Amino acid sequence: MNKQKLRLNDLIVFLLLILQERCMFLIPFEWFYSINSNQQQFLMVVVILIELVIFEKKVVVDKKSFSPGILLFVFNYIIELIISAMCNQGIKDSLISSNFYLIVLLYFPLMNYLKRNEPNKLYKCIVFITVITMIIYLIQFILSFRQIYFLHIDFSRNRFGNLRIQEFSDVLICYGIIISFVKYLNSKSKIHGGIFCFGVLGNLIISKGRFSIIALISTSIVIILIKNKNKAKKI
């Protein structure tokens, strides 16, 4: 039974991460992409909470990591809903516009998941989705030179004379690239080193995102400095 629960947890987290990437923009339904990021985050919180309640029966919260301050977020969320209702905004719009409080609450079910599973498993899942997504965007970028398009993205964005796939610099993808860099530093794995190089070059050539490049390089430098500092302390 525990193994079944574990598989279910893994599947749900995997599907939520795929949803965060908008299913790599492969779904041929325009209405799917009209869902904004706020609605996605709201859905992610609700699904994880339902999964924990139905399949785990309870949410285990570490008292050391729990702060009474989280109650303030819940209180503010309720107050905002009441104020929005008084201003005739509507419950649905109120839930969506105020759901950053729920995103904060996501910390607790996420910590619950990580305690029941190895964090490394989540990292592997993120890196796997990152690699698949980057390959799909690379294929689309190459095919765009032949005027072949299969992704449901905005192809009117150009920079330096050719297509710019801005989705390549998504936060989750950049996170997967950084995880691969850390794995490379720890194990000298050529695979993770290749993923990191692929990600940086992809952001430079495919996404052409200045901020994402700066973020990736600066984060990598900070990680190297921290690693070297820890080595110096051990010596």
Side-chain angles (χ1 to χ4, degrees):
M1 190 64 182
N2 289 334
K3 290 184 178 180
Q4 292 177 351
K5 285 184 179 181
L6 185 61
R7 289 170 189 159
L8 179 64
N9 292 334
D10 295 340
L11 177 61
I12 288 176
V13 171
F14 179 79
L15 291 177
L16 288 173
L17 292 175
I18 291 291
L19 176 63
Q20 181 66 21
E21 283 304 303
R22 305 288 183 92
C23 298
M24 294 79 170
F25 295 89
L26 292 170
I27 296 179
F29 301 111
E30 294 301 325
W31 60 265
F32 178 80
Y33 304 107
S34 66
I35 301 176
N36 61 38
S37 59
N38 285 336
Q39 291 167 317
Q40 280 192 6
Q41 298 291 353
F42 176 75
L43 181 60
M44 289 176 69
V45 174
V46 171
V47 170
I48 290 181
L49 287 174
I50 290 175
E51 184 267 335
L52 287 171
V53 172
I54 293 179
F55 297 101
E56 300 301 326
K57 305 301 180 184
K58 62 179 180 178
V59 178
V60 179
V61 178
D62 185 1
K63 293 182 179 179
K64 293 181 180 179
S65 64
F66 179 78
S67 170
I70 199 67
L71 297 177
L72 180 62
F73 284 96
V74 178
F75 178 73
N76 286 339
Y77 186 68
I78 295 173
I79 293 298
E80 284 222 8
L81 290 180
I82 294 174
I83 294 175
S84 299
M86 292 173 63
C87 296
N88 298 319
Q89 183 177 354
I91 296 298
K92 179 182 177 182
D93 293 333
S94 301
L95 286 171
I96 293 172
S97 62
S98 306
N99 65 16
F100 56 89
Y101 293 115
L102 293 181
I103 297 173
V104 175
L105 291 175
L106 177 61
Y107 165 81
F108 294 100
L110 182 59
M111 286 300 101
N112 180 272
Y113 172 81
L114 292 176
K115 287 173 187 174
R116 290 182 284 107
N117 304 280
E118 288 291 332
N120 194 47
K121 183 176 293 185
L122 178 62
Y123 298 153
K124 286 181 179 178
C125 185
I126 293 175
V127 171
F128 175 76
I129 293 175
T130 296
V131 172
I132 296 300
T133 305
M134 291 194 301
I135 291 174
I136 291 174
Y137 291 160
L138 174 62
I139 294 172
Q140 177 60 91
F141 182 75
I142 294 173
L143 292 178
S144 68
F145 291 100
R146 294 179 172 268
Q147 304 298 314
I148 300 174
Y149 306 103
F150 64 89
L151 294 182
H152 297 267
I153 59 176
D154 184 5
F155 291 104
S156 64
R157 293 175 298 195
N158 287 274
R159 180 170 286 180
F160 307 128
N162 52 40
L163 176 67
R164 178 192 184 191
I165 301 180
Q166 194 171 352
E167 289 74 13
F168 198 103
S169 58
D170 183 81
V171 174
L172 184 64
I173 294 177
C174 290
Y175 187 42
I177 295 170
I178 292 299
I179 291 175
S180 295
F181 181 66
V182 174
K183 295 288 185 183
Y184 170 74
L185 291 179
N186 292 334
S187 63
K188 302 301 179 183
S189 168
K190 292 182 179 179
I191 294 177
H192 285 104
I195 294 173
F196 174 74
C197 293
F198 177 27
V200 172
L201 290 175
N203 272 275
L204 184 64
I205 300 171
I206 300 175
S207 172
K208 304 176 180 69
R210 290 165 291 189
F211 289 110
S212 61
I213 289 295
I214 293 173
L216 286 172
I217 294 177
S218 59
T219 302
S220 301
I221 293 174
V222 170
I223 291 173
I224 292 174
L225 291 175
I226 292 174
K227 188 174 181 62
N228 290 336
K229 185 177 180 180
N230 290 336
K231 281 184 177 180
K233 285 184 177 179
K234 290 181 180 179
I235 295 173

